[in-house]
Amino acid sequence: MDSLSEVLLSVQGLYKSYGSVRAVRGISFRVQRASVFTILGPNGAGKTTTLEILEGIRAADAGEIELFGHKTRRVTERMKQRMGVLLQDGNFEPYLKVREVLSLFSCFFERALPVDEVLERVALTSKTGALVRTLSGGQRQRLAVGVALINDPELIFLDEPTTGLDPQARRNLWRIFQELQDAGKTVILTTHYMEEAEALSDHVCIMDHGTIIAEGSPEELARGLGQDSIIEFELPHMEAAALAPLREFGSAVEHRNGSVVIHAPKLTEAMSGLLSWARAHGIALTNLAVRQPNLEDVFLSLTGRRLRE
Amino acid sequence: MNGILNLGYCSLRAWLRERITLFWSLFFPVFLLILLGVIFGGGDGEGYMRFHIGLVNLDRDAEHKAFAGLVEAAFAELAHRAEEYRDQLFILTRPTEGEDAEEFLLAEREALRQGQRAAVVVIPAGFSEEVFRAMHGTPGSLQAEVKVLYGHGDASSELAASIVEQVLTRLERELLIQAELYDPQQEVRVDASWVGTADGAARYIDFLLPGVILMAFLTNGLFGVPGSILYARDQRILRRYWVTPLTVRRYLIGFSLSMLGMCALQLGILWALGRWAFGAQVQLAAPAPVLYLLLSAVTFLALGFLISSVAKTANAGMAIANILNMPLLFLSGIFFPVTGLPVVLQALVYSNPVTYLVDGMRASLGVGTGQVPLWATVTVPLLWIALAAAVAGRRLQWDVDR
């Protein structure tokens, strides 16, 4: 088999319920070696549950997993030797020092990288002697990434790695993730940040209500919306009826959360029409933007909702 | 293996960095040892346990007074014998020449009431006559009685009373021998007749030290185990371990090692303090005491796991530990002997594993009176360990539910 197209993980018909809540409803997907596979979806879509099953801390109700070439119902310790995990809500003992945490976790694996090398990779060299409880949110997350990398894993799970971080801290993490990608690691990422998925992913699957509703590379998915351009502007107060003339220029016109989104197959005509409409109604077209469709638009057109609502 | 040891080491390090743990597990027991050691041990100059005992003879029978005299002599000898040692267990007060015995008794009763006497031994009128008649009457029916008055509910008084009783048992045997009624088959075995170390000295610090050590161990188990495990579970610190090859079993071993490490630390500090600051002489380094120390540490660890199994959160675990802490400590005889309690409380005393551990521990050190049978001091704690293991094995949750 060609190593480029080698499948590292394949999941078939995965089900998981919590009581009457059906969190994951029979999803199937495949992850290629040395790719970044992203599960994109809003909160409660079933992303974390899917990951927790693959990480080995939850048992699936039904379904088949094939990981590292072995079929299994539950992830084994042998498999965990080759996996690195960044949990969404994982924590470390607050009264341990950064170096102690890393050396502790390195002991759990048969093979581990030198602690100093990992410290450098996640830019925590200046914090080795600091207690976990004194770290900032971004530093704590970098430590979590360091712990996930301590065993030099082939497969890395990153569950919502940048949620709640400031833009600077987020960019720092993206840099580390891109290095993983360059090193040929396989990464499974979940996020509800569309920009994150676009910046990092080779392959995206969009999840909603426990099912996969679309799958492909970010470009493929966006292309699925056709060659439409997206026109967007802010419009806080407007009767829906007043927007009616705009439908002439767009395949879809949405008015949500105080902004209007027009999917325009013919950009020039749509723009000139929009300008005369704006002049006629005395509208300022605040923050007018024209752009190519992105994953957010894909999600919007598939579900009628935005990712973060 | 490396992972287990490192886990144990890290748990202990993290633990020792927490101020609240330092306070309850190290500072508090040390403070208590100093406090009680200074208050009760230091009062008599060198910290030896002494009992002030009054002895009064109301028997004026001139004919057979030899028997009453025998009792008097036994106690006098007791006080005298101790005087030969640096440390005196009994300080005997008797009526002076010509003092009225009844009046003396009244004064002694008052002294007992005020806590100046641990016990008052009264040889009642007609005692010698009774003994004489018993000796020449039906064999084996010795009925003469010596009264021992002691302060009910006063720890040192009850301790003194139990020693006096043992002296009387010995005396009874002597009387039987004198009466030639002695039957070796009927011998009442008299052992552990002294509260004290081998040389007969009873020092409060030697009685106190094992108790404080067990109390410190109990704190680890009751508060440390649910506090650490449930907190780590609720904060998803444990979950982070479960996505590595570390198994629950190996985590458990590592965690337990950290607990035992903590116990060893407490033991070292308290023992050094007791020895160098208060001159404790108990031989903790003998096989039997070490066995009891280990059994105690494991029993309390098991109690901690039991609490962790029934508590939903770390806070709930701490609340349960707080509720259990007082009865476990005070209905156990760690600080004073528990006798004469209502049946309900006695049931608690005798289902409390601490009762057995502290009793076995003190008996093995020669500083206790052995209130429960020796076999029970091992089997009852083992039963608790088995119960805790069974419950924890079934109910203890190692990860938060969604």
Side-chain angles (χ1 to χ4, degrees):
Chain A
M1 193 190 277
D2 179 1
S3 74
L4 280 175
S5 64
E6 188 189 340
V7 175
L8 192 77
L9 165 71
S10 106
V11 172
Q12 200 67 43
L14 206 63
Y15 271 97
K16 179 72 190 175
S17 303
Y18 304 108
S20 62
V21 181
R22 291 158 65 203
V24 176
R25 310 178 180 191
I27 61 169
S28 305
F29 57 86
R30 293 164 147 233
V31 178
Q32 308 289 327
R33 185 182 282 278
S35 73
V36 176
F37 182 94
T38 299
I39 305 176
L40 182 71
N43 287 327
K47 309 186 297 287
T48 293
T49 299
T50 305
L51 248 61
E52 283 175 351
I53 292 167
L54 298 175
E55 289 157 358
I57 50 176
R58 255 177 226 295
D61 296 339
E64 202 170 78
I65 299 164
E66 192 177 338
L67 182 55
F68 302 125
H70 299 283
K71 280 204 167 75
T72 182
R73 282 195 61 85
R74 248 208 120 122
V75 175
T76 62
E77 275 145 51
R78 199 107 289 284
M79 293 170 175
K80 286 180 186 172
Q81 292 281 357
R82 300 162 71 181
M83 290 165 32
V85 177
L86 177 76
L87 289 171
Q88 186 182 346
D89 54 4
N91 270 315
F92 300 106
E93 174 57 58
Y95 286 92
L96 283 185
K97 292 174 180 170
V98 167
R99 175 186 290 281
E100 288 169 342
V101 170
L102 284 165
S103 74
L104 172 63
F105 276 86
S106 74
C107 290
F108 300 156
F109 295 93
E110 286 165 4
R111 206 166 57 94
L113 295 172
V115 168
D116 287 310
E117 188 186 320
V118 175
L119 280 168
E120 203 165 311
R121 233 206 265 183
V122 295
L124 280 176
T125 324
S126 62
K127 284 281 172 188
T128 48
L131 291 181
V132 169
R133 65 199 291 262
T134 65
L135 298 180
S136 72
Q139 289 165 343
R140 217 173 276 210
Q141 199 65 348
R142 291 212 300 280
L143 174 61
V145 173
V147 170
L149 302 181
I150 193 78
N151 57 328
D152 195 19
E154 293 166 53
L155 175 61
I156 300 152
F157 292 94
L158 302 171
D159 194 359
E160 309 242 347
T162 62
T163 300
L165 296 183
D166 60 70
Q168 182 58 44
R170 181 174 303 168
R171 240 175 290 283
N172 286 339
L173 283 177
W174 284 6
R175 182 187 54 75
I176 300 170
F177 300 157
Q178 265 146 7
E179 281 169 16
L180 293 177
Q181 210 168 352
D182 297 341
K185 302 288 183 193
T186 310
V187 177
I188 299 182
L189 169 81
T190 74
T191 183
H192 58 257
Y193 294 118
M194 173 272 299
E195 320 88 275
E196 190 160 288
E198 268 174 353
L200 300 173
S201 319
D202 296 313
H203 192 92
V204 177
C205 85
I206 301 180
M207 252 183 114
D208 194 31
H209 297 305
T211 56
I212 295 174
I213 55 175
E215 217 185 321
S217 70
E219 300 76 28
E220 279 167 6
L221 285 170
R223 219 179 296 136
L225 289 181
Q227 297 300 311
D228 296 6
S229 296
I230 307 287
I231 306 169
E232 201 168 8
F233 58 94
E234 278 177 28
L235 190 63
H237 312 291
M238 176 56 69
E239 295 286 320
L243 292 173
L246 296 179
R247 302 212 187 282
E248 231 178 273
F249 322 116
S251 56
V253 178
E254 313 264 352
H255 187 211
R256 292 188 160 268
N257 296 341
S259 67
V260 176
V261 179
I262 303 167
H263 293 233
K266 292 176 182 157
L267 183 60
T268 332
E269 284 171 30
M271 279 308 287
S272 67
L274 176 67
L275 289 171
S276 17
W277 172 83
R279 203 178 300 123
H281 290 78
I283 288 165
L285 293 179
T286 321
N287 283 335
L288 175 71
V290 178
R291 55 179 175 77
Q292 290 311 298
N294 58 28
L295 290 174
E296 181 85 52
D297 303 305
V298 175
F299 188 79
L300 187 67
S301 77
L302 285 170
T303 65
R305 291 178 292 126
R306 283 179 185 273
L307 271 171
R308 273 165 286 165
E309 260 177 21
Chain B
M1 192 57 205
N2 196 9
I4 294 175
L5 289 179
N6 203 341
L7 189 71
Y9 171 77
C10 281
S11 300
L12 189 58
R13 284 300 294 270
W15 222 9
L16 290 174
R17 283 178 189 144
E18 240 176 300
R19 250 178 245 152
I20 186 87
T21 316
L22 275 184
F23 180 83
W24 288 110
S25 289
L26 288 176
F27 178 76
F28 183 68
V30 163
F31 174 74
L32 197 70
L33 186 67
I34 293 175
L35 189 76
L36 293 178
V38 167
I39 292 179
F40 297 106
D44 257 336
E46 292 197 326
Y48 290 89
M49 199 195 282
R50 277 164 207 217
F51 299 111
H52 291 257
I53 289 179
L55 177 66
V56 55
N57 185 359
L58 299 177
D59 192 14
R60 295 196 187 83
D61 186 339
E63 203 179 333
H64 310 292
K65 74 176 183 187
F67 296 115
L70 201 63
V71 178
E72 276 195 278
F75 279 97
E77 196 218 80
L78 205 63
H80 176 70
R81 200 181 67 163
E83 260 174 288
E84 290 172 4
Y85 294 91
R86 192 163 56 106
D87 33 73
Q88 189 175 5
L89 184 61
F90 285 109
I91 296 171
L92 206 59
T93 313
R94 286 196 284 179
T96 48
E97 202 81 29
E99 191 177 359
D100 183 66
E102 295 284 351
E103 267 176 38
F104 176 79
L105 178 58
L106 278 178
E108 283 300 291
R109 276 175 176 272
E110 182 57 24
L112 180 68
R113 202 181 62 75
Q114 290 177 359
Q116 291 161 1
R117 295 287 177 278
V120 178
V121 180
V122 183
I123 303 166
F127 172 79
S128 297
E129 175 71 23
E130 286 288 328
V131 176
F132 180 77
R133 261 197 286 155
M135 284 167 73
H136 295 88
T138 330
S141 64
L142 192 63
Q143 278 191 346
E145 217 174 35
V146 171
K147 282 183 184 164
V148 182
L149 311 174
Y150 67 99
H152 205 63
D154 175 341
S156 79
S157 201
E158 295 197 4
L159 210 53
S162 80
I163 299 168
V164 168
E165 253 170 61
Q166 281 166 5
V167 173
L168 291 174
T169 310
R170 184 179 283 177
L171 196 65
E172 187 181 40
R173 198 174 55 171
E174 273 173 35
L175 286 173
L176 280 165
I177 294 167
Q178 285 219 347
E180 292 173 352
L181 296 172
Y182 181 55
D183 176 359
Q185 298 299 312
Q186 285 181 2
E187 187 188 358
V188 185
R189 227 164 58 86
V190 181
D191 50 8
S193 49
W194 295 97
V195 171
T197 44
D199 65 355
R203 297 161 48 100
Y204 185 67
I205 188 70
D206 288 329
F207 175 81
L208 178 68
L209 184 59
V212 174
I213 289 171
L214 289 203
M215 184 202 75
F217 284 13
L218 183 67
T219 306
N220 297 350
L222 276 192
F223 295 95
V225 175
S228 306
I229 287 193
L230 297 183
Y231 174 81
R233 180 190 69 192
D234 296 349
Q235 291 297 310
R236 278 79 165 166
I237 294 169
L238 288 187
R239 171 176 288 189
R240 191 61 195 76
Y241 294 139
W242 308 147
V243 293
T244 72
L246 183 73
T247 57
V248 170
R249 181 200 297 264
R250 288 169 65 204
Y251 170 80
L252 210 54
I253 299 172
F255 179 80
S256 303
L257 282 179
S258 78
M259 272 288 168
L260 295 181
M262 186 70 169
C263 289
L265 200 63
Q266 290 166 323
L267 178 65
I269 290 173
L270 290 170
W271 186 66
L273 183 72
R275 191 180 169 85
W276 302 120
F278 295 102
Q281 284 164 9
V282 278
Q283 291 301 315
L284 287 171
V290 167
L291 195 80
Y292 277 109
L293 285 171
L294 200 63
L295 183 64
S296 304
V298 174
T299 306
F300 301 153
L301 193 68
L303 286 183
F305 282 117
L306 190 60
I307 294 173
S308 308
S309 310
V310 294
K312 281 222 156 58
T313 63
N315 280 341
M318 293 314 234
I320 297 174
N322 262 314
I323 291 168
L324 291 180
N325 190 34
M326 287 294 162
L328 282 175
L329 271 184
F330 290 107
L331 296 177
S332 70
I334 267 194
F335 299 117
F336 50 83
V338 273
T339 47
L341 291 172
V343 180
V344 181
L345 290 182
Q346 271 193 32
L348 289 177
V349 169
Y350 288 108
S351 51
N352 182 354
V354 186
T355 307
Y356 299 87
L357 289 165
V358 79
D359 197 84
M361 176 84 189
R362 287 204 174 114
S364 76
L365 291 169
V367 293
T369 48
Q371 300 198 345
V372 294
L374 190 67
W375 59 266
T377 62
V378 176
T379 45
V380 174
L382 284 178
L383 282 176
W384 273 99
I385 293 172
L387 172 76
V391 174
R394 239 164 258 180
R395 293 209 43 182
L396 189 52
Q397 300 285 327
W398 290 102
D399 197 2
V400 277
D401 249 0
R402 207 178 162 80

